[in-house]
Amino acid sequence: MNLLESVGAGLRDMGSNKGRSVITMIGIVLGVASVVAVLSLMQGGQAQTEAYFEELGGLREIRITNQRTNRIFMTAAERASERLTYRDAQAIRFECPSVSYVDPEISRYLTVSYKDKTFQMRVLGTTADYVFADSMPVAEGRFITDRDLDTYANVIMMGPTYRDDLFGDEDWRGKQVLVEGIPFTVVGIMEKKEFYFRGGGGERNVLEWFNRGHYIPITTMIRRFTVDDQLGGLEISAKTVELVPTLMEETRTVLSRRHGVEDFDLASKSEQVQQRAEQEAFFNIIFWVIAFISLFVGGVVIANIMLSSITERIREIGVRKAIGASSRDVFIEFLVEALVVTSVGGAVGLGVGYGLVKLMETALIMPMAFSPSILVLAFLTSVAVGIIFGMFPALRAARLDPVEALRYQ
Amino acid sequence: MLIAVDGLTRTYDLGEAKVHALRGVDLAVEAGEYLAIMGPSGSGKSTLMHILGCLDTPSTGRYVLGGEEVSSLTGRELAKVRNRRIGFVFQNFNLLPRIDLVANVALPLVYHGSVSKAERLGRAAKQLEELGLGHRLKHRPNELSGGERQRAAIARALINEPSILLADEPTGNLDSKTGREIMDILDGLSAAGKTVCLVTHDANVAEHAGRTVHMQDGAIAREDFS
């Protein structure tokens, strides 16, 4: 019997026994639907994480931080190190060929006042590279320039959140604010930065932190408000994503030489994306377990129902063998029958899974991604279940002794 | 010589006890012969028929069918022999209930492998027409009378043009009038040259055959020729 006809016979058989077929398929339908949902959730989470880091400056970035040290057990070399400084940042900029932006930061909470209004605000000393490195677009005016840095200029770039608080309806242009009593000229306003994680976090803007910061040249910050040039943070970015490992090595060399000891940590954004994806994969385990159990139960139900249908059909198997069916023919017929049931169940499961994805997307606000590869993979799972769980009943049918089978009442 | 059976034994091992269903059967059947195997239940006639029909294999002895030693064939080869050289007619018809008559009759051709679907259905329909069931092609077996079902079963047995037709109590489930009709068909097939082997305990059925083999306790007790 050729395969196509076996499939046709299987479909007819399902049609003639609808109740049984529906029960048989439920497990497979749910299992495949869960697989679709899990895969969509995983892809959606991955895509969202990547989008988040892209918003934070992309995957080319490397964050350099001071290593935590225990002061009591510090070695002499560690004591001698000045830790990360603005001079380190400049050394990286000039000595590392793979670097494109260097973004050193020193932040302080400073008193900023305009007319009768006074606020304690986070002020960031930084360089012209900041807007590129952290992909922080300027909304109005201009950002800090290299010239500002060279001249220790008293200029300030303001975050959008405090603009209304300070200036109200007034135009900010040409205005001066007092930072710790020293007049600074406002040169621009940053664009509002927003990112909302779907699901869990709700409608909180996780990047609001950035909207509350103000920026002055790092040289001005060092000269006027700090005692040394130790950095709060240092982010650099490679010219391309591929150059990230190279840049990490170059940076390690330069800083080790300057510090005399490796008292800093390097972390690339792509590593962070990876870590986050791994965390999410762990949380998805619960869905995998559900999918696995559904598929397993579905498979067991199929095996069970096939075994009972074989008992009903023992005589039929005997007759088929008597008129020339080999054990192999019988095996293939029963396996194809299982495959037809699981494939139809799998197809229905794809539909249900798609509905589930849409439901989770709208009702639970989960990040979901839906792609053809998910459909293919989920469908193949149902086929695999058909083969695995159809195998045993089909083997049993094939091994029936024709004489015994014909005698069976 | 179509069938040559030599010292055939068949022993069932039921753990502690051994049942000797056949204890050395010698039998020769010429092509075109009309043979009946008779005997009470337990005489071994069914076991002999199963071995002749290649559904079972002998414990010892030789079975040569159409010049081929079949007692040593594998399961798959035996399936092929059953498919192409043997036609079975059963007491309870054994048509598959969920498919129509044409599909039932065409089923042996399906396992034959190399016949196209159109040809299979065409040949099955023709075979059914020859047996007077041309108006029943699309009926399911449960929509037919017993006589019609047995005629369909004969059509299925003949579809692959087997060298021997094995009929196991072909009239056992039929009333006497319908039984006579079925025997007429078998007589006709024999007259047309087909080798027919009846297995029965009914002397009225056996007397249609030209030669009757009486079985007793797993061996041939005597033979009658009419």
Side-chain angles (χ1 to χ4, degrees):
Chain A
M1 180 163 344
N2 75 43
L3 212 60
L4 209 68
E5 287 176 42
S6 300
V7 171
L11 282 171
R12 269 197 303 283
D13 204 52
M14 279 180 73
S16 67
N17 210 332
K18 290 189 187 68
R20 192 186 77 189
S21 307
V22 167
I23 293 171
T24 315
M25 284 186 333
I26 284 176
I28 294 295
V29 169
L30 292 180
V32 169
S34 322
V35 170
V36 170
V38 177
L39 292 175
S40 304
L41 203 60
M42 281 172 67
Q43 284 198 1
Q46 177 79 21
Q48 178 168 257
T49 304
E50 277 169 18
Y52 173 68
F53 280 104
E54 197 55 48
E55 188 69 17
L56 278 182
L59 300 173
R60 293 181 294 146
E61 271 198 11
I62 298 167
R63 174 182 282 276
I64 307 165
T65 48
N66 283 316
Q67 224 166 49
R68 286 184 191 283
T69 47
N70 187 330
R71 285 170 183 280
I72 299 170
F73 298 109
M74 259 185 169
T75 64
E78 280 169 350
R79 273 177 212 283
S81 165
E82 286 186 89
R83 318 289 279 169
L84 288 171
T85 63
Y86 180 54
R87 282 160 289 144
D88 287 336
Q90 283 176 309
I92 291 168
R93 186 203 284 254
F94 294 119
E95 294 178 39
C96 296
S98 309
V99 80
S100 71
Y101 305 125
V102 178
D103 174 24
E105 292 171 22
I106 303 175
S107 79
R108 291 285 184 275
Y109 278 87
L110 301 176
T111 312
V112 178
S113 55
Y114 177 70
K115 292 186 177 166
D116 57 338
K117 294 175 205 126
T118 302
F119 293 96
Q120 276 287 107
M121 292 178 179
R122 194 171 69 93
V123 178
L124 216 60
T126 187
T127 65
D129 277 358
Y130 182 81
V131 278
F132 306 112
D134 276 347
S135 55
M136 296 286 295
V138 173
E140 299 167 49
R142 65 165 177 86
F143 199 72
I144 293 154
T145 60
D146 285 338
R147 195 179 138 75
D148 292 334
L149 288 161
D150 292 344
T151 59
Y152 307 92
N154 289 349
V155 292
I156 187 165
M157 176 82 188
M158 306 202 72
T161 301
Y162 283 114
R163 181 180 75 168
D164 294 343
D165 293 338
L166 279 177
F167 302 113
D169 295 335
E170 282 183 61
D171 189 5
W172 56 269
R173 280 167 229 275
K175 296 288 187 315
Q176 284 198 327
V177 295
L178 295 176
V179 181
E180 299 287 329
I182 302 161
F184 274 68
T185 306
V186 181
V187 292
I189 306 288
M190 300 299 290
E191 194 168 275
K192 191 167 181 194
K193 219 166 159 63
E194 289 177 285
F195 194 90
Y196 301 94
F197 274 109
R198 309 195 68 185
E203 293 305 291
R204 199 168 62 85
N205 180 4
V206 293
L207 299 181
E208 174 59 19
W209 166 257
F210 289 91
N211 299 332
R212 295 174 180 273
H214 309 289
Y215 309 89
I216 62 174
I218 193 167
T219 50
T220 313
M221 174 69 95
I222 292 164
R223 169 170 286 187
R224 301 212 179 262
F225 304 119
T226 67
V227 291
D228 54 30
D229 65 341
Q230 276 197 4
L231 299 177
L234 177 57
E235 288 190 359
I236 59 177
S237 71
K239 285 177 173 145
T240 65
V241 176
E242 290 71 34
L243 278 174
V244 166
T246 315
L247 179 58
M248 284 177 85
E249 275 322 298
E250 290 169 0
T251 311
R252 197 184 300 283
T253 308
V254 168
L255 290 181
S256 298
R257 191 195 69 229
R258 292 178 55 83
H259 291 199
V261 63
E262 199 171 311
D263 59 350
F264 52 87
D265 286 316
L266 301 173
S268 72
K269 279 282 167 61
S270 49
E271 280 171 359
Q272 292 176 6
V273 171
Q274 190 68 31
Q275 276 171 13
R276 205 177 158 111
E278 279 164 16
Q279 281 171 9
E280 277 168 0
F282 179 77
F283 288 117
N284 286 330
I285 269 182
I286 189 80
F287 289 97
W288 278 120
V289 168
I290 292 170
F292 179 79
I293 290 176
S294 309
L295 284 172
F296 188 79
V297 170
V300 169
V301 166
I302 284 173
N304 206 354
I305 291 185
M306 276 189 70
L307 282 173
S308 76
S309 99
I310 283 168
T311 314
E312 278 170 28
R313 290 161 65 181
I314 284 180
R315 274 182 80 89
E316 175 189 327
I317 294 161
V319 172
R320 286 180 185 272
K321 286 196 159 183
I323 62 174
S326 63
S327 296
R328 189 165 151 270
D329 290 326
V330 174
F331 176 77
I332 289 172
E333 273 177 42
F334 276 84
L335 194 63
V336 165
E337 215 168 281
L339 277 174
V340 168
V341 172
T342 50
S343 301
V344 172
V348 175
L350 293 183
V352 173
Y354 183 74
L356 203 62
V357 166
K358 287 289 153 211
L359 190 76
M360 285 166 89
E361 210 166 23
T362 51
L364 299 174
I365 324 171
M366 304 278 247
M368 309 295 275
F370 201 72
S371 67
S373 63
I374 289 177
L375 294 180
V376 172
L377 201 63
F379 188 73
L380 287 181
T381 331
S382 70
V383 172
V385 168
I387 291 175
I388 291 165
F389 288 92
M391 194 79 89
F392 173 61
L395 264 180
R396 227 180 107 166
R399 282 185 182 154
L400 281 174
D401 174 48
V403 173
E404 294 291 323
L406 280 171
R407 230 179 246 153
Y408 188 85
Q409 290 301 320
Chain B
M1 191 74 64
L2 179 65
I3 286 175
V5 163
D6 231 352
L8 213 60
T9 71
R10 180 69 172 96
T11 307
Y12 295 104
D13 198 344
L14 303 177
E16 292 173 15
K18 280 191 165 53
V19 176
H20 299 281
L22 293 180
R23 302 163 180 268
V25 171
D26 301 321
L27 183 68
V29 180
E30 296 288 347
E33 249 191 290
Y34 196 177
L35 178 79
I37 300 173
M38 262 195 86
S41 59
S43 62
K45 64 179 193 299
S46 290
T47 306
L48 180 57
M49 191 205 73
H50 289 145
I51 291 174
L52 292 180
C54 292
L55 286 168
D56 198 1
T57 47
S59 302
T60 61
R62 270 160 49 90
Y63 171 21
V64 178
L65 173 63
E68 187 183 7
E69 166 94 51
V70 291
S71 31
S72 59
L73 293 182
T74 65
R76 194 147 175 221
E77 289 163 335
L78 285 174
K80 199 167 166 182
V81 172
R82 290 196 296 272
N83 183 242
R84 308 200 177 172
R85 290 159 68 180
I86 292 162
F88 281 100
V89 177
F90 302 96
Q91 178 175 0
N92 44 21
F93 328 129
N94 276 338
L95 297 167
L96 300 191
R98 285 175 299 179
I99 53 178
D100 62 25
L101 278 201
V102 187
N104 260 294
V105 172
L107 207 52
L109 295 173
V110 169
Y111 294 119
H112 188 284
S114 54
V115 189
S116 76
K117 190 173 185 183
E119 191 190 335
R120 290 202 303 257
L121 296 180
R123 275 170 66 178
K126 189 158 164 279
Q127 192 73 58
L128 281 164
E129 276 159 20
E130 280 174 16
L131 287 160
L133 289 170
H135 58 303
R136 295 290 203 211
L137 299 182
K138 290 292 166 190
H139 286 69
R140 298 250 176 127
N142 61 5
E143 298 163 343
L144 304 177
S145 72
E148 286 173 320
R149 289 188 214 183
Q150 195 60 302
R151 273 189 278 156
I154 293 171
R156 180 179 65 187
L158 294 172
I159 192 79
N160 259 345
E161 290 160 4
S163 35
I164 181 164
L165 196 65
L166 287 174
D168 184 10
E169 302 282 9
T171 62
N173 276 14
L174 301 171
D175 60 60
S176 53
K177 180 175 170 288
T178 325
R180 277 196 299 278
E181 281 172 29
I182 295 302
M183 288 318 296
D184 286 347
I185 292 172
L186 293 177
D187 292 350
L189 288 168
S190 173
K194 190 64 84 184
T195 313
V196 179
C197 177
L198 300 166
V199 178
T200 183
H201 66 274
D202 185 344
N204 294 325
V205 171
E207 73 184 9
H208 285 258
R211 172 183 167 201
T212 306
V213 175
H214 294 269
M215 302 259 325
Q216 190 91 49
D217 297 326
I220 294 173
R222 63 192 168 86
E223 290 190 31
D224 292 337
F225 294 87
S226 60

